[in-house]
Every structure is written in C-alpha cells, then in structure tokens.
Amino acid sequence: MKLQERNDDVNNIETKTAYSKLIQTIKWTGEELFLLDQTKLPMEVVIEKQESVNQVWDSIKMLKVRGAPAIGIAGGYGLVVAMRDRAGLDYDDFILEMDRQAAYLDSSRPTAVNLSWALKRIVSKVKSLGRRPVAELFEEMIKEAVAIHNEDRLLCRGIGESGKSLINDGIGILTHCNAGSLATSELGTATAPMYLAFEDGVKFRVYADETRPLLQGARLTSWELQQAGIDVTLICDNMAAFMMSKGFIDLVIVGADRVAANGDVANKIGTMGVALLAKHFNIPFYVACPGSTIDLLTARGENIEIEERDAEEVTFFGERRTGPEGIKVRNPAFDVTPNELITGLITEKGIIRPPFDINLKQRFGAAAKAERSADTL
Amino acid sequence: MKLQERNDDVNNIETKTAYSKLIQTIKWTGEELFLLDQTKLPMEVVIEKQESVNQVWDSIKMLKVRGAPAIGIAGGYGLVVAMRDRAGLDYDDFILEMDRQAAYLDSSRPTAVNLSWALKRIVSKVKSLGRRPVAELFEEMIKEAVAIHNEDRLLCRGIGESGKSLINDGIGILTHCNAGSLATSELGTATAPMYLAFEDGVKFRVYADETRPLLQGARLTSWELQQAGIDVTLICDNMAAFMMSKGFIDLVIVGADRVAANGDVANKIGTMGVALLAKHFNIPFYVACPGSTIDLLTARGENIEIEERDAEEVTFFGERRTGPEGIKVRNPAFDVTPNELITGLITEKGIIRPPFDINLKQRFGAAAKAERSADTL
C-alpha cells in the first residue's frame, strides 16, 4: 500500500499568527505520525514517531498527547497507523479489523468525547463507501483523519473569533489546565480568544492555574503563552480564590472535555471549584469548545463517566514521593460544572448563552443528527 | 551559666492517647533544642540540634518547623538559645540583647501571631522581674519557654475536647494544610478533635488537601493521621469541590495562623476557597485554634499582612522544575477567610459562634488585656 505525500494538506494552512510557529503537538507527514511528548514539557521538547497502534494507545493513555481535540486528531491518525499494515486483508476482514482497532483506541481515555467521535467518523465514512478495494478505503481513511485535523484548526480559529471581543485592555483572565495550542491543532480553544486578542494588540494578563496533579497549567499553558509573548502568571490551584478576592481576575475561560445537552461541562478536575468561586465573586465564567465537544446524546453532566486515575499521579512527582507510602488517594481526572455556573459557551458558531438545553440543540442539533446515527435527542 | 535538667517538665506529661508516641516536632532537653525537619517528611525523619539563634531563625523561615503554635514554641526556645551564651553581660546589656534577639526571631515569619506573642511573653516576663542577676533572669526565660510549650499541649487537648462532639460515626472530614500534631506540641489544633474522637472509637474518614505549593497536607497531615491509624485519604486541592459535590464531606476543620477580632481567619492559602465551597454545599466550616491565635488587636482580616513567598516554591519540586524558566509567579502563603463563611471557632474555651466580634471579645478580651500591654480593644 503506497502512501501519498500529504504534507501540503496538513502543514501549510495560511495563518497570520505568530503562534503557528509553536511546535506542533501532532504532525502527520503523509506517511508517519509524530506526537510531541507533553509529559516532558517544559524541560524537554521530545517528538516521538508513532511506530504502532499500541504506541499511539500508550501516548493517549499516558497523556503524552492530551486535550480533547488533540486526542481526537491523534486517535484518527492512530486508526490509520493501526490499519497501514493490513493491505493484505479482504474487505470483510478489513472492516472487522478497523472496528476492532477503533474500539481498542477508544478505550485509551473514557471521558473525552472527541476520541470516539473521530474514530466513529472515520469508521462511518469508510463503511459508507461500500465494497471497494481495501487500498482505496485506506486512502479514504487518511483523507478523513487529515480532514479532522484541518477542521480543528478552523474550529479553533472560529472559537477565537467568537470569543475575542470578551477580552479588553487591562483585564485579567484566569484559565485552568491546558485548553491551548498544545491541546488542539493550532490556536487552542480556551486560548484562541487570547491569541487573537493579542494579535489585535489588546493588553491583558493571564493567570494560569498550575492544575494538579499533572500540572498542565504550569508545564503547558504558562509555557505556550510565554512562548507567544502573552503576559502570563502562574499560580497554584488553591490561589484562585485569593486572586479573585483581590480583583486580579475579570474573566475565566476554560476548555471542556465534554458538554452535555443541558450545558453541564465535564472538564479537568478543579474546573467546578473555579466556577463556584467565579460565581461568588461575580466573574464571568466561559467555556470554550468546538461543536465536536458538545454531546447532545448525553442529557446531563451526571451521565458522564469520570475517569479515576492512578494514585501515583498524586503521591509522586517524577521519581520523588509527595505523599506517605501506602496512603489512600482519590484522583478523579475530571469534574462536572453545572450549567447554572456557566456564563456562556464560546464555540465556532458564536457564544452560546443560557438556556443551554434549547440553544445548544438549536445550534448543534441538526449537525449532530446528520453526523450520528442515533436520534434519541 | 549552668543549665538544669528539665526533661521531666517537657516530656512526661501524662496522656492516654497513642499519638503521644508520634515523633515530637519540638524537643527541649533542658539544655538543647531539637527540631524535626518537616521539609524532609514523609521520606526522611531528620531531627536537628539547634546550635545557634541563626539556625533557629532559618528553621522557622525555611518551614522546617511550621504551624502557628509550633513556631511560637520554637521561637520561645529560640530566644533561650540566643541568650544562653550571654552570661557575661550586665543587666542593661542583657535586656538590650534580649530585645534585639526577640526582634530578630520575630522577623522570620510575619503572619503567624504566635511567634511575636511567645517572644513578647518571655520578654515581658523577664522585664517584669526587675534588676536581678542575669543567670536568674535566664532561668526564668527557660521556665517561660517551657511553660508556653506545656500550655500548648493543654490547649490542644482543650480544643480537642471542645470539638470532638462535632465528629460522629460515618462522617467525612476535610482538612487543609497541617494544623496537626506536627504544627503544635501534641494533638494539633484542627486534628485534636479527630484524635480524641478516634480515641473514643468514633469511625470517621478524613480527606487531606495536599496543600500546594509545599504539600503540608500530603507530606504531613496524611502522614501523621496515617501513623495514628485514622482513615485518611489524600486529595489534590482542586478535588475538594468534587468530593463535596459527591457527598463525601460532612464537615471541614482547618487551623488558623491568625484570627482577627471580627472572626476573619488568616490561614494557609486555599482556606478561603475551601470555605466558599463548603458554604455552597452547606457543609459546616470550623476553624480550630488556641486563644493565642486570636488577635483582638487586629480589627479585621484585611489588616493582616500576607506573606508572599519565593516563586521557586511553585516552579520547582525539589530539584525538578514544574514551570517554565522565567515564568512570573504569585505565591501568597495565606489568605483571609471572611467571618461570614465560618460556622464556629473551636477553642480551648469551647466553640465560639457568630457574632464573632462580640463573642471573641467576651471570651478572650479579658485574657488578652491582661497578657498584652496595649489596651486599644
């Protein structure tokens, strides 16, 4: 099975921003998938060639690639990696194997909807083509994976355009975790309005929650904003209330791993706490996400499965122990912010405001119906 | 100047609790001061003999000894260490030097009132004795330092007796930072009700916030409760809202570094955030502290100086960098929880409830007047 060069598709989209010069989280050369190992940032910039689907699964599981949109993009290419050595299969075995590999990749992170969304999209596309030669189907898989990647760039830019008017001269913005360039393909989601406002010359400050246990805010968000030249200050998660009480924070923008049909938002653990504090201090709380993060098939946040991760993430930092041996630990990776704490959802289709159940269905319902087979909205 | 053995005074107070077998944070042998280096816990148990007042100052500054009551006790003994080689001074020079050394020790931590309280108490005591031989005054200094230590044990026990009825079978208690045995002399403040309830056979769970940036909850609270056999679970600070939302937390007990006359509480950074979350989820929020922490000379919390500590506490864990080079950091060590978020103050004189301005003055005003020279209440 010969692969064509597809560099142009992926890497040469025109952009005016300086941030496109940031190292790409995900790079598809047309033949090979490269992932930036974010667990080593900001100390080392290591880019790993993905040799097998098992390696891609590990990269997602171990958070080398993380952030809902990036996981979706990586998952799509992961399916390509999984199938590239299956040229000898007949049609039925190819389809069977594609289903099997998609299910395997989907098992690497249970909470982010983008992963299963991307995998289902590629699988559905291939199946919709009917009985064609396997080599041709494989080419279509690649096209679909690349399309998901390119669409994400445009989505992030759309989110930035929708949200940038929220950012005015002199304000302070709090963000949590990394819903930035590193979590997506280019401008990020929560960071997209910041990058575009910065490009327009708006002067603002960003405060990045460090985001325990994996320190995505400290290692990734503060790093990428610093690289871009944006005024960013790192704080510990438990300092957000202090900073709000002293008037440093005028706006909160976070990302989302999944948005339920009623507007409840599953995002990195600690998001709900930030939202509750923002409400207390009357600070607008926005969630930035593309339409693919909005899951109209999930009625409410309480229906979203919350991944509980290894205790060692809390009790070790690198090789160094931070908690006593044998200590019990809780380590939920996400929490669900109730819709009543959310001022608006910044999407590529504009800012969605309450009532979310009605407005989300109106703006994303039709597309959701077209893209998904189920119709239980 | 010959020192008497005073081991009996300090180390042999009768107690029925198992927790007295825990390693002591502060030990005075009658001649020498030993401090447990809490920065090395839970990996190593290192006890350092304090050779000079500079070493004691460093131990306080570097948080080897920390927790408001423990700092007061260590400061008192620190003054003894500072003066023990001053046998040759005449009375006037001894008093001058004592004032100078007390001011020096007081400069090691600005926020905790106990340090200046303990130092002032010893200085006042010595001055109140008038012109006596320097050796005799030095003996009185030691007696006063030992008395502060012993009183703290009794205060902690009193706090435990006042608060233990709040703890019932089956409840979950959240605590923040370490207001435990390691922060005081024996039972701790926030932990004293827990230790006494546990002694009475009450079955409860404790959740310890890890407390960034210095991880006192992970390294100290979870360690000391685990040692005592109490059911303790470690969480990251940003998981408290999740645990509350899921019904795991029925009660919050934290310590205090300073309580203002109106009941505002300065405590470890993050405490205010926990209090706001507790209010949202209708969970009682108690602050445990001895009378020496209640500063009736400070009218409101906004008058309390908040120490801002080094950026490296946030950007490094041990030798390992957690944030990018050159990143801006905010690192306030404390925040102020407004009195309206506090259900009650658990003290050795019982639980003080709102209105705090009236009730604190009533219960602690007279004692405060007697102990302090100023009378501007």
Side-chain angles (χ1 to χ4, degrees), chain A residues 285-288 341-346 351-354 356:
Chain A
F285 181 93
Y286 286 90
V287 176
L341 300 177
I342 298 165
T343 311
L345 299 167
I346 308 171
I351 297 179
I352 313 296
R353 297 186 183 274
F356 293 114

Side-chain angles (χ1 to χ4, degrees), chain B residues 173-190:
Chain B
I173 308 169
L174 178 70
T175 189
H176 187 72
C177 196
N178 178 261
S181 173
L182 291 166
T184 59
S185 48
E186 194 180 78
L187 296 179
T189 53

Side-chain angles (χ1 to χ4, degrees), chain A residues 61 110-111 306-310 329-334, chain B residues 242:
Chain A
K61 177 71 179 177
T111 306
I306 300 295
E307 179 186 3
E308 183 101 13
R309 296 181 57 86
D310 288 347
V329 169
R330 285 297 307 266
N331 185 17
F334 303 93
Chain B
F242 176 88

Side-chain angles (χ1 to χ4, degrees), chain A residues 43 210 212 218 222 226 231 234 237-239 248 270 276 280 318 320-322 324-325 328 330-331, chain B residues 43 210 212 218 222 226 231 234 237-239 248 270 276 280 317-318 320-322 324-325 328 330-331:
Chain A
M43 286 74 76
E210 67 173 8
R212 284 281 292 155
S222 65
Q226 184 192 41
D231 180 352
L234 174 63
D237 300 304
N238 64 20
M239 296 171 189
F248 288 99
L276 285 166
H280 176 83
R320 185 154 174 175
R321 180 173 277 287
T322 60
E325 218 167 316
K328 287 202 293 188
R330 285 297 307 266
N331 185 17
Chain B
M43 288 73 75
E210 66 173 7
R212 283 282 291 157
S222 65
Q226 184 191 42
D231 180 351
L234 175 62
D237 300 305
N238 63 20
M239 296 169 188
F248 288 100
L276 285 167
H280 176 83
F317 191 82
R320 187 155 174 175
R321 180 174 278 285
T322 59
E325 219 167 314
K328 287 202 293 187
R330 284 297 307 265
N331 185 16

Side-chain angles (χ1 to χ4, degrees), chain A residues 80-190:
Chain A
V80 171
V81 169
M83 298 305 291
R84 67 183 167 192
D85 298 326
R86 316 286 172 169
L89 297 180
D90 65 20
Y91 177 82
D92 289 330
D93 286 346
F94 184 85
I95 297 294
L96 203 67
E97 186 63 16
M98 179 177 69
D99 279 338
R100 208 177 66 81
Q101 296 291 347
Y104 169 63
L105 280 163
D106 197 28
S107 70
S108 56
R109 291 294 296 280
T111 306
V113 71
N114 302 56
L115 178 57
S116 57
W117 173 85
L119 292 165
K120 273 184 205 154
R121 177 169 154 175
I122 295 174
V123 166
S124 300
K125 172 74 181 181
V126 169
K127 289 182 180 174
S128 74
L129 298 170
R131 286 196 170 265
R132 296 208 205 163
V134 161
E136 200 177 307
L137 294 178
F138 180 70
E139 289 302 314
E140 292 297 330
M141 281 185 70
I142 296 175
K143 274 191 197 158
E144 201 65 16
V146 169
I148 289 169
H149 193 174
N150 284 342
E151 285 167 21
D152 187 69
R153 294 178 176 222
L154 295 172
L155 287 173
C156 290
R157 185 160 287 272
I159 290 168
E161 294 292 347
S162 296
K164 73 177 183 179
S165 64
L166 298 172
I167 302 177
N168 303 311
D169 267 327
I171 74 166
I173 308 170
L174 179 71
T175 189
H176 187 73
C177 197
N178 178 260
S181 173
L182 291 165
T184 60
S185 49
E186 194 181 78
L187 296 178
T189 52

Side-chain angles (χ1 to χ4, degrees), chain B residues 98-234:
Chain B
M98 179 178 69
D99 279 337
R100 207 177 67 81
Q101 295 291 346
Y104 170 62
L105 281 163
D106 197 26
S107 70
S108 56
R109 291 293 299 280
T111 306
V113 72
N114 302 57
L115 178 57
S116 57
W117 173 85
L119 291 165
K120 273 184 203 154
R121 176 170 155 174
I122 295 174
V123 167
S124 300
K125 172 73 181 182
V126 169
K127 288 181 179 175
S128 75
L129 298 171
R131 289 193 168 264
R132 294 207 206 167
V134 162
E136 200 177 307
L137 295 179
F138 181 69
E139 288 302 314
E140 292 298 328
M141 281 184 70
I142 296 175
K143 273 190 198 160
E144 202 66 15
V146 169
I148 289 169
H149 194 174
N150 283 342
E151 285 168 21
D152 186 69
R153 295 179 174 217
L154 295 173
L155 288 173
C156 289
R157 184 158 287 273
I159 291 167
E161 294 292 347
S162 297
K164 72 177 185 180
S165 64
L166 298 172
I167 301 176
N168 305 313
D169 267 327
I171 73 165
I173 308 169
L174 178 70
T175 189
H176 187 72
C177 196
N178 178 261
S181 173
L182 291 166
T184 59
S185 48
E186 194 180 78
L187 296 179
T189 53
T191 54
M194 304 179 202
Y195 285 130
L196 293 189
F198 182 69
E199 192 176 46
D200 289 350
V202 182
K203 305 264 181 271
F204 57 93
R205 291 160 285 114
V206 180
Y207 296 89
D209 274 351
E210 66 173 7
T211 317
R212 283 282 291 157
L214 295 178
L215 299 169
Q216 290 92 338
R219 296 187 301 103
L220 308 178
T221 302
S222 65
W223 182 75
E224 70 164 90
L225 294 176
Q226 184 191 42
Q227 297 271 314
I230 291 175
D231 180 351
V232 57
T233 299
L234 175 62

Side-chain angles (χ1 to χ4, degrees), chain A residues 39 42-43 176 205 207 210-213 215 218-219 222-223 226 231-239 241-243 245-246 248 268-274 276-277 279-281 302 306 308 314-315 317-332 334-336 340-341, chain B residues 39-40 42-43 176 205 207 210-213 215 218-219 222-223 226 231-239 241-243 245-246 248 268-274 276-277 279-281 302 306 308 314-315 317-332 334-336 341:
Chain A
T39 63
M43 286 74 76
H176 187 73
R205 292 160 283 116
Y207 297 89
E210 67 173 8
T211 316
R212 284 281 292 155
L215 299 168
R219 296 187 301 100
S222 65
W223 182 76
Q226 184 192 41
D231 180 352
V232 56
T233 299
L234 174 63
I235 62 171
C236 295
D237 300 304
N238 64 20
M239 296 171 189
F242 176 87
M243 298 304 285
S245 75
K246 297 292 183 188
F248 288 99
K268 179 57 52 193
I269 187 73
T271 302
M272 174 179 42
V274 172
L276 285 166
L277 298 178
K279 185 180 185 183
H280 176 83
F281 290 107
E302 66 202 64
I306 300 295
E308 183 101 13
V314 176
T315 55
F317 190 82
E319 301 304 304
R320 185 154 174 175
R321 180 173 277 287
T322 60
E325 218 167 316
I327 195 75
K328 287 202 293 188
V329 169
R330 285 297 307 266
N331 185 17
F334 303 93
D335 58 28
V336 175
E340 67 264 24
L341 300 177
Chain B
T39 63
K40 296 203 168 65
M43 288 73 75
H176 187 72
R205 291 160 285 114
Y207 296 89
E210 66 173 7
T211 317
R212 283 282 291 157
L215 299 169
R219 296 187 301 103
S222 65
W223 182 75
Q226 184 191 42
D231 180 351
V232 57
T233 299
L234 175 62
I235 62 171
C236 296
D237 300 305
N238 63 20
M239 296 169 188
F242 176 88
M243 297 305 285
S245 75
K246 297 292 182 187
F248 288 100
K268 181 55 55 194
I269 187 73
T271 302
M272 176 180 38
V274 173
L276 285 167
L277 298 177
K279 186 180 184 181
H280 176 83
F281 290 106
E302 67 204 63
I306 300 293
E308 183 98 16
V314 175
T315 55
F317 191 82
E319 302 302 305
R320 187 155 174 175
R321 180 174 278 285
T322 59
E325 219 167 314
I327 194 76
K328 287 202 293 187
V329 169
R330 284 297 307 265
N331 185 16
F334 303 93
D335 58 27
V336 174
L341 300 176

